[in-house]
């Protein structure tokens, strides 16, 4: 994990937020490469979850949330983690995550065993809306994106004219005042979720739970996460929310242990019923064919953007060996991102920076590829070193413009370049005009 955290900072994937002021605990900023990776992930999720389907529409709800919404959902009263204080070092700790030694719970900071009783700590961030500070002006930063979907269910149903089963999807920020943010971005206080609420008839719930679990596993495979590091936990009844008839956690083997990436839960009609009761408004569905009116049930695949980005980074990290400029073997760090997720798809290198025709041609290739994919132009340093820099950030393709390209080694290779593959390090010579097609096919 240390190597990964260090690479993330060194190459601009993830920085500690407010770092120059000592950092804000549990909050992270994504650097130039991190934001590309994160956007690729979110766009792909949106593509397969919303745009590729006839039965799902999108929503972008507000972060600031009316307290009545979160009162009805149960978050105001019960969205808590058990907290204890260590009397020795004053650390605040999450009671259910403490290691035990000789049957007694122990503080991970100082090893002390003098801990207070556990008490519930509400994880929501509260804020004040408007200029007056009375209790009526309280609002919350949403702790999950799901609630705006439930609250807008009727509006979306009316405008989209969807028939059951259908879903509403959302990607957005969520905030939880975690007692112990830890394991890099894994447990953050500000994070992003990709959630789908898939509404259905009650009798379809269990089948759709199995269907969405399968779909979601497929998704992780499609973004390049190895199946052998993914695990499915069938959450036992006593650990599920009381209203859930079935919940699966999709877990990933992080370097710090097996941990949840996503929860796929059959939540029955609990959420809509809660909002019906609290708002007094009808959030039901009229089935034109059977002439029945009822409250739909819902299956919810709820994934974390940041946790998936972290899994992508952990899964991609690899070390092998490659020859340096003198042919001596050296360790190569290579991020084996799936080309679909890679922040930069293709790097463009003029063989020499001080040969104007090479540079001009390389700029031409850059202009040709730019409308199709994210490219990076680099003319600095020996070519081997430039390849290495791209391997370390997971760029799947490298194009080198050399003297053959200029036609100096024969007309038959004029306007061809070498296309290098990150994983095999093999190079093939291809025509410049074919590059957009060749690379686009490989990254889709
Ligand atoms: P955990 O048990 O790890 O706290 P959870 O079961 O409370 O997670 P859910 O409420 O099911 O999480 O949220 C759905 C998804 O949102 C999680 O699977 C995870 O990917 C993401 N998520 C939740 N809390 C955090 C967090 N503090 N930091 C980053 N991602 C989070």
């Amino acid at each position: 994990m240390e190597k990964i955290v260090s690479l993330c900072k060194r190459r601009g994937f993830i920085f500690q937020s407010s770092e120059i002021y000592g950092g804000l605990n549990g909050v992270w900023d994504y650097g130039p490469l991190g934001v590309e990776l994160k956007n690729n992930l979110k766009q792909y999720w949106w593509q397969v979850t919303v745009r590729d389907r006839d039965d799902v529409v999108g929503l972008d709800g507000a972060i600031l949330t009316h307290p009545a919404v979160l009162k009805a959902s149960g978050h105001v009263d019960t969205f808590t983690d058990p907290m204890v204080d260590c009397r020795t070092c004053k650390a605040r700790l999450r009671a259910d995550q403490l290691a035990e030694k000789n049957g007694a719970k122990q503080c991970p900071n100082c090893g002390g065993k003098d801990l207070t009783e556990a008490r519930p700590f509400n994880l929501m961030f509260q804020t004040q809306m408007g200029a007056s500070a009375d209790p009526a002006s309280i609002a919350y930063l949403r702790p999950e994106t799901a609630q705006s979907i439930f609250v807008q269910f009727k509006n979306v149903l009316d405008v989209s004219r969807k028939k059951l089963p259908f879903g509403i999807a959302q990607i957005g920020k969520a905030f939880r005042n975690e007692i112990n943010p830890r394991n890099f971005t894994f447990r953050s206080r500000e994070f992003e979720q990709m959630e789908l609420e898939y509404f259905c008839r009650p009798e379809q719930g269990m089948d759709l739970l199995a269907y969405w679990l399968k779909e979601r596993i497929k998704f992780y495979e499609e973004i390049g996460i190895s199946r052998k590091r993914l695990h499915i936990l069938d959450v036992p009844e006593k650990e599920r929310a009381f209203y859930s008839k079935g919940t699966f956690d999709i877990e990933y083997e992080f370097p710090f242990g097996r941990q949840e990436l996503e929860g796929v839960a059959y939540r029955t009609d609990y959420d809509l019923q809660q909002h019906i009761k609290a708002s007094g408004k009808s959030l039901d569905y009229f089935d034109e064919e059977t002439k029945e009116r009822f409250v739909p049930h819902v299956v919810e695949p709820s994934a974390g953007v940041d946790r998936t980005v972290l899994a992508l980074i952990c899964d991609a990290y690899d070390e092998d060996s490659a020859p340096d400029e003198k042919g001596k073997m050296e360790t190569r760090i290579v991020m084996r991102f799936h080309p679909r997720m890679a922040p930069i798809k293709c790097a463009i290198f003029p063989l020499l920076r001080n040969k104007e025709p090479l540079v001009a041609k390389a700029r031409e290739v850059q202009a040709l590829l730019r409308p199709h994919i994210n490219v990076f132009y680099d003319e600095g340093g020996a070519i081997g070193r430039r390849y290495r820099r791209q391997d370390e950030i997971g760029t799947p393709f490298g194009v080198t413009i050399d003297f053959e390209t200029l036609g100096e080694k024969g007309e038959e290779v004029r306007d061809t370049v070498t296309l290098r593959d990150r994983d095999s390090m093999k190079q093939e010579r291809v025509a410049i005009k074919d590059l957009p097609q060749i690379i686009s096919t490989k990254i889709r």
Side-chain angles (χ1 to χ4, degrees):
M1 205 54 207
E2 241 168 65
K3 284 182 176 178
I4 286 169
V5 174
S6 137
L7 180 126
C8 281
K9 175 164 181 195
R10 189 173 73 248
R11 298 310 312 271
F13 283 93
I14 300 169
F15 306 124
Q16 168 84 66
S17 186
S18 311
E19 191 191 74
I20 62 166
Y21 291 101
L24 191 57
N25 193 12
V27 186
W28 302 92
D29 295 335
Y30 287 78
L33 293 177
V35 65
E36 296 291 343
L37 179 60
K38 203 179 182 195
N39 282 341
N40 291 344
L41 170 66
K42 291 193 282 185
Q43 277 160 15
Y44 190 65
W45 186 90
W46 196 260
Q47 184 66 39
V48 299
T49 312
V50 183
R51 294 190 173 172
D52 286 350
R53 303 183 63 107
D54 292 328
D55 57 349
V56 177
V57 292
L59 181 77
D60 184 26
I63 287 169
L64 289 169
T65 308
H66 196 300
V69 170
L70 296 161
K71 179 84 183 149
S73 67
H75 285 87
V76 171
D77 297 323
T78 60
F79 193 59
T80 59
D81 276 337
M83 181 170 72
V84 296
D85 293 342
C86 171
R87 292 199 181 91
T88 316
C89 74
K90 310 288 177 235
R92 303 217 123 156
L93 307 162
R94 208 170 127 174
D96 56 339
Q97 289 177 347
L98 293 179
E100 283 192 21
K101 202 172 173 190
N102 302 331
K105 294 206 163 162
Q106 202 179 21
C107 170
N109 292 347
C110 71
K113 290 186 186 134
D114 187 7
L115 306 173
T116 61
E117 281 296 301
R119 60 197 183 285
F121 173 77
N122 193 297
L123 299 182
M124 284 201 296
F125 282 96
Q126 222 186 67
T127 189
Q128 212 79 41
M129 298 257 297
S132 62
D134 58 82
S137 62
I138 287 175
Y140 294 98
L141 305 190
R142 64 181 176 193
E144 60 178 29
T145 63
Q147 292 309 318
S148 53
I149 297 181
F150 296 126
V151 171
Q152 295 293 0
F153 171 75
K154 198 75 178 173
N155 279 335
V156 177
L157 178 67
D158 290 347
V159 295
S160 62
R161 297 170 34 243
K162 292 282 172 208
K163 303 243 181 304
L164 288 182
F166 79 95
I168 306 176
Q170 174 163 215
I171 299 178
K173 290 271 186 177
F175 302 81
R176 297 182 189 178
N177 196 2
E178 298 281 355
I179 299 168
N180 290 129
R182 59 182 184 168
N183 291 330
F184 199 22
T185 56
F186 179 84
R187 189 169 299 286
S188 308
R189 288 181 166 139
E190 172 173 341
F191 56 96
E192 242 170 314
Q193 292 184 314
M194 304 180 282
E195 293 195 298
L196 168 68
E197 305 303 323
Y198 196 76
F199 299 96
C200 62
R201 301 180 63 88
E203 62 274 19
Q204 297 171 310
M206 290 310 280
D207 286 348
L208 285 169
L209 175 66
Y211 168 80
W212 278 108
L213 176 64
K214 225 164 104 208
E215 284 294 300
R216 298 302 306 147
I217 293 287
K218 189 165 104 213
F219 173 85
Y220 289 109
E221 291 185 279
E222 283 169 358
I223 60 172
I225 293 194
S226 40
R227 181 65 184 83
K228 66 177 195 308
R229 295 204 188 95
L230 288 172
H231 300 275
I232 298 168
L233 173 74
D234 186 350
V235 181
E237 188 175 358
K238 61 178 187 322
E239 287 169 33
R240 296 199 297 257
F242 68 90
Y243 46 77
S244 171
K245 282 201 177 158
T247 300
F248 293 101
D249 284 350
I250 301 176
E251 299 177 325
Y252 177 75
E253 265 173 50
F254 287 98
F256 45 83
R258 193 185 280 191
Q259 298 279 355
E260 176 183 329
L261 267 189
E262 164 161 2
V264 185
Y266 173 26
R267 302 174 60 92
T268 65
D269 61 350
Y270 175 78
D271 307 274
L272 287 179
Q273 291 287 11
Q274 289 295 104
H275 289 300
I276 291 170
K277 265 186 249 158
S279 68
K281 302 283 180 345
S282 76
L283 298 174
D284 54 14
Y285 176 85
F286 181 70
D287 190 317
E288 307 272 354
E289 278 161 35
T290 62
K291 307 289 174 216
E292 275 175 287
R293 188 171 284 285
F294 60 93
V295 177
H297 280 215
V298 73
V299 173
E300 175 198 76
S302 168
V305 173
D306 310 75
R307 284 186 187 181
T308 309
V309 166
L310 188 58
L312 284 169
I313 291 174
C314 294
D315 217 80
Y317 187 93
D318 197 12
E319 291 175 8
D320 63 5
S321 43
D324 68 7
E325 281 96 74
K326 300 198 179 77
K328 203 171 126 249
M329 293 309 267
E330 60 173 8
T331 304
R332 172 177 86 132
I333 295 177
V334 52
M335 295 295 276
R336 299 194 193 276
F337 289 125
H338 189 293
R340 206 174 252 155
M341 291 294 113
I344 295 167
K345 310 297 185 197
C346 183
I348 295 155
F349 312 114
L351 187 61
L352 301 169
R353 71 171 352 153
N354 53 8
K355 282 273 181 282
E356 176 43 35
L358 287 176
V359 169
K361 201 73 186 169
R363 289 293 187 189
E364 249 177 58
V365 174
Q366 180 187 24
L368 175 76
L369 291 177
R370 214 168 219 170
H372 308 279
I373 52 171
N374 195 21
V375 292
F376 181 76
Y377 173 86
D378 186 9
E379 56 177 28
I383 193 79
R385 200 119 29 88
R386 282 182 267 168
Y387 285 154
R388 223 49 95 242
R389 283 203 292 261
Q390 294 304 314
D391 291 341
E392 204 186 36
I393 59 169
T395 306
F397 304 105
V399 162
T400 304
I401 288 81
D402 54 18
F403 293 104
E404 275 89 339
T405 319
L406 302 181
E408 293 184 11
K409 305 265 171 88
E411 274 311 307
E412 66 287 2
V413 284
R414 181 187 284 280
D415 284 329
T416 64
V417 290
T418 63
L419 178 64
R420 175 186 180 267
D421 177 88
R422 172 198 69 199
D423 296 329
S424 67
M425 293 186 269
K426 293 222 169 72
Q427 304 193 15
E428 57 175 328
R429 194 158 274 284
V430 302
I432 290 175
K433 66 173 176 20
D434 295 337
L435 278 174
Q437 169 70 17
I438 296 174
I439 299 177
S440 302
T441 321
K442 291 188 179 183
I443 62 172
R444 289 267 148 72

